[in-house]
Amino acid sequence: MFAPPTIETERLHLRPFRDTDVDAYFWVHDAPEVRASLRIADDFDRDAAWSQLCMWNGQWTLRNSGQLAVVLRETGELIGRCGVHRPERRDWPGLELGWTFHPTHWGNGYATEAGRANMAWAFANHAVDELVSVILAENTASQAVARRLGFTLREERVLAFFPSEPHGIWYKPRP
Ligand SMILES: CC(C)(COP(=O)(O)OP(=O)(O)OC[C@H]1O[C@@H](n2cnc3c(N)ncnc32)[C@H](O)[C@@H]1OP(=O)(O)O)[C@@H](O)C(=O)NCCC(=O)NCCS
């Protein structure tokens, strides 16, 4: 069993999710732009958001991987999530670094800042040669974050979990 980390960056506090985060988590994922980018199902509601919080904290406990709440240090507001993801999916390409923020907080470099900190944590705490990021071809904003962190696109393929369209598989070798 593992305990999730807490990470401080210049502007952000990254911490495990709490039960009281459900409304903020749903707010982030209910934004139309986020729903579209992540192909979130129409029936994803506040109850489903709570189940995701449980999933992230469960993954931390079982695998020492998961997403963290991203909180603005200046205001204490929860503005997104970022972290690593290694679900039990037969063709998942590896330990995935990911990021999602509410659109009102895009364009400030928060995803890159949180991603960089999580990347350092992941390489320090997991015996992996590389991290992956699974990104749709149309998601240029996410690709830009990946590029800024040193990821490169290796291949595009259809994953079992996303059968309807191919995803780009981006890789970042251990520094
Ligand atoms: C992907 C996503 C997190 C990217 O957000 P973002 O705000 O574009 O990325 P960053 O936080 O790294 O910010 C980068 C932008 O902030 C600007 N910026 C401003 N201040 C900055 C600073 N101090 N440091 C770095 N960049 C800064 C950069 O110039 C860049 O602007 P640009 O897009 O005009 O070039 C966001 O689009 C999102 O949440 N999308 C929906 C969910 C999603 O698709 N997740 C990924 C699935 S694969």
Side-chain angles (χ1 to χ4, degrees), residues 24-46:
Y25 189 93
F26 182 59
W27 170 71
V28 169
H29 292 81
D30 192 37
E33 301 92 326
V34 173
R35 280 187 173 269
S37 296
L38 298 182
R39 307 289 193 258
I40 292 175
D42 290 345
D43 63 356
F44 179 84
D45 58 9
R46 188 178 179 278

Side-chain angles (χ1 to χ4, degrees), residues 11-152:
R11 297 176 293 173
L12 306 171
H13 177 62
L14 315 180
R15 59 156 177 78
F17 286 109
R18 300 171 183 159
D19 195 33
T20 49
D21 290 333
V22 62
D23 286 320
Y25 189 93
F26 182 59
W27 170 71
V28 169
H29 292 81
D30 192 37
E33 301 92 326
V34 173
R35 280 187 173 269
S37 296
L38 298 182
R39 307 289 193 258
I40 292 175
D42 290 345
D43 63 356
F44 179 84
D45 58 9
R46 188 178 179 278
D47 296 4
W50 184 81
S51 297
Q52 282 200 0
L53 296 187
C54 296
M55 185 277 290
W56 292 125
N57 283 0
Q59 186 176 153
W60 277 116
T61 303
L62 297 176
R63 298 196 161 175
N64 204 22
S65 58
Q67 299 265 310
L68 297 169
V70 180
V71 174
L72 275 181
R73 286 176 61 170
E74 196 172 319
T75 63
E77 184 186 11
L78 193 161
I79 60 168
R81 63 171 166 87
C82 184
V84 282
H85 186 30
R86 192 167 67 84
E88 190 63 31
R89 295 174 192 159
R90 61 179 165 76
D91 60 352
W92 200 248
L95 187 63
E96 187 202 13
L97 185 62
W99 33 73
T100 289
F101 287 76
H102 191 274
T104 53
H105 294 283
W106 293 0
N108 294 306
Y110 294 141
T112 301
E113 186 170 324
R116 185 170 286 118
N118 271 293
M119 186 166 73
W121 184 91
F123 279 125
N125 289 277
H126 286 270
V128 292
D129 293 333
E130 58 191 15
L131 296 177
V132 305
S133 200
V134 175
I135 307 176
L136 282 167
E138 70 191 39
N139 197 341
T140 53
S142 188
Q143 291 164 14
V145 177
R147 272 197 202 90
R148 281 192 285 272
L149 297 177
F151 282 75
T152 52

